[in-house]
Amino acid sequence: MSAFILLLTLLLQNPAPRGNVENGKVLYTKIGCYQCHGREGQGAPATGPRLNQNPITYARFIAYIRKPTGEMPPYTAKVVSDAHLANI
């Protein structure tokens, strides 16, 4: 089985959970995401990238939040649960 088919199978078996947008907005502010990414996720060159320009899968989003590259701090599951990330 090719790696692509295996990845596709895993993604179809583990779709992104349905989050709550209103709770996500509250968490985005409470956790402080807006401080770098802006209130609308628009980003700024001096603080953090725009969040909606290149959408990624939920699994990739979780992986990046847990172990980011660049200057973003990691957010462990103790700090932000997977359920809260689904809302965000």
Side-chain angles (χ1 to χ4, degrees):
M1 183 180 291
S2 75
F4 174 74
I5 292 173
L6 180 59
L7 178 61
L8 183 58
T9 302
L10 290 173
L11 288 174
L12 291 175
Q13 290 174 351
N14 299 308
R18 295 188 59 84
N20 180 297
V21 174
E22 294 306 315
N23 288 345
K25 288 178 184 179
V26 170
L27 289 166
Y28 183 87
T29 301
K30 183 178 178 182
I31 294 166
C33 305
Y34 76 93
Q35 293 173 339
C36 295
H37 299 288
R39 297 225 179 252
E40 302 296 322
Q42 74 277 9
T47 58
R50 182 177 176 177
L51 297 179
N52 62 355
Q53 63 188 357
N54 297 315
I56 59 176
T57 65
Y58 177 71
R60 176 116 169 76
F61 171 69
I62 294 287
Y64 190 83
I65 297 298
R66 302 290 184 233
K67 293 184 181 181
T69 58
E71 295 182 33
M72 183 173 148
Y75 291 88
T76 66
K78 289 181 180 182
V79 176
V80 184
S81 70
D82 287 355
H84 284 162
L85 288 176
N87 291 333
I88 294 172

